[in-house]
Amino acid sequence: MPAFSEQELDKISAEMENQTPQQIITWAVETYAPQIAVSSSFQTQSVPLLHMVSRIDPEILVFFLDTGFHFWETLMFREQLQREMGLHIQNLYVDGQWKNFLDRFGRDLYDHDPDLCCYLRKVQPMQKGMKTVRAWVSGIRRDQTANRHNAKIIEVERDGLVKINPLLNWTRQDVENYIREHNLPTHPLFEKGYRSIGCKPCTRAVRADEDERAGRWDGKGKTECGLHTEMFNQDGPGKSALLNGFLLNPSEDETQ
Ligand code: SF4
């Protein structure tokens, strides 16, 4: 496996701006397999990437964050895509070290402290999963959020993990075109207005005139879970009074 410096990866990334997602994935597989994994949330916009990687490298590992809060339709869709595309899925779960904390606060943590909830249920399990590989293929697009607008096709994350974003220059329309051209399935909730789907408590359907991600963390002042922001490179969610209080007094009974 060639070891590229960060400067070399920057140069390759710039050259890839005009390449197709399939060309970018092929380079990633040839460079890093078998130490490479794809992350997927198994929603409609995940379908083209999963289809492409399953054709280019059927053995590629697919990480799925099982937060415990998914729509059952998402779990069914995951099973369907696994069967139809022959995917090798590995579920990632919240770390056992947080059991006591989540027993006390986990039920509605998404309301009290959604950044902490995402950190414990998504970011930290993904950090742990990604320690087992050298490269991460993600399906983010520049047209999704302001943060993603500034992403690069190849990025270097914590511990030298190389993140590859083959669909970065695609649009929502490209996703829909690919699905139609290849006669691929869509998430069962897509036609009901769920254009972007995450955990059930933090997702609502959107109107036709709304942004596709307008239904994610609506009213919570949050647009990203942290997987694709600087939070991924941190060892904690930042300031969390709830977590800091718990760590200071882990056995304190809040009912007293
Ligand atoms: S999306 Fe909501 S429920 Fe899921 S981990 Fe983030 S805050 Fe928690």
Side-chain angles (χ1 to χ4, degrees):
M1 179 193 308
F4 293 109
S5 68
E6 217 167 317
Q7 288 78 4
E8 287 170 322
L9 288 172
D10 257 353
K11 190 165 175 283
I12 296 170
S13 178
E15 289 165 0
M16 282 179 170
E17 286 291 338
N18 295 319
Q19 293 189 3
T20 64
Q22 290 92 334
Q23 287 173 309
I24 298 169
I25 295 166
T26 301
W27 174 87
V29 166
E30 287 174 352
T31 308
Y32 296 105
Q35 292 181 286
I36 184 168
V38 180
S39 63
S40 183
S41 51
F42 287 90
Q43 51 180 311
T44 295
Q45 55 193 267
S46 314
V47 172
L49 180 64
L50 292 172
H51 185 248
M52 287 175 201
V53 296
S54 70
R55 287 179 147 197
I56 293 168
D57 180 5
E59 297 303 315
I60 205 163
L61 196 59
V62 180
F63 286 148
F64 173 71
L65 288 161
D66 196 337
T67 63
F69 285 114
H70 287 290
F71 289 89
W72 68 264
E73 287 91 342
T74 300
L75 302 179
M76 298 294 289
F77 194 50
R78 178 190 59 177
E79 303 302 315
Q80 179 186 351
L81 294 182
Q82 181 173 35
R83 211 171 42 246
E84 293 179 1
M85 296 182 185
L87 303 172
H88 294 269
I89 301 172
Q90 184 175 323
N91 296 326
L92 303 178
Y93 301 98
V94 66
D95 200 288
Q97 66 174 303
W98 300 112
K99 185 178 181 315
N100 287 346
F101 178 78
L102 291 174
D103 282 349
R104 279 179 61 186
F105 302 107
R107 203 175 178 79
D108 53 2
L109 188 59
Y110 46 79
D111 275 337
H112 300 308
D113 194 339
D115 278 343
L116 177 60
C117 189
C118 276
Y119 181 75
L120 298 182
R121 297 184 191 282
K122 292 186 170 186
V123 176
Q124 201 176 55
M126 188 66 83
Q127 287 172 336
K128 208 170 161 188
M130 287 299 168
K131 279 190 193 303
T132 63
V133 294
R134 296 277 310 281
W136 167 12
V137 180
S138 133
I140 62 168
R141 308 192 319 262
R142 284 195 174 111
D143 72 346
Q144 288 174 313
T145 66
N147 175 68
R148 296 178 190 192
H149 185 75
N150 297 319
K152 293 189 289 189
I153 291 177
I154 302 176
E155 300 177 320
V156 180
E157 304 285 339
R158 61 184 288 154
D159 305 325
L161 176 73
V162 177
K163 185 178 179 191
I164 301 131
N165 305 310
L167 300 184
L168 208 56
N169 286 321
W170 266 27
T171 62
R172 170 180 161 179
Q173 193 58 52
D174 290 321
V175 170
E176 294 180 13
N177 291 346
Y178 187 95
I179 288 173
R180 196 168 42 251
E181 282 163 18
H182 293 84
N183 197 26
L184 297 170
T186 56
H187 190 288
L189 295 176
F190 186 71
E191 292 306 326
K192 294 181 179 172
Y194 288 83
R195 301 282 146 171
S196 175
I197 301 180
C199 296
K200 193 171 181 178
C202 303
T203 304
R204 68 160 172 81
V206 296
R207 297 186 308 272
D209 62 341
E210 280 186 304
D211 182 88
E212 67 178 345
R213 286 179 67 89
R216 304 290 297 276
W217 302 284
D218 189 20
K220 293 191 169 109
K222 180 173 165 71
T223 58
E224 294 270 5
C225 61
L227 288 178
H228 308 293
T229 68
E230 266 312 297
M231 191 193 275
F232 184 78
N233 290 317
Q234 295 169 2
D235 286 322
K239 284 185 182 163
S240 169
L242 194 59
L243 184 61
N244 290 337
F246 176 81
L247 293 175
L248 282 174
N249 294 295
S251 59
E252 187 181 300
D253 184 347
E254 63 173 353
T255 61
Q256 289 177 357

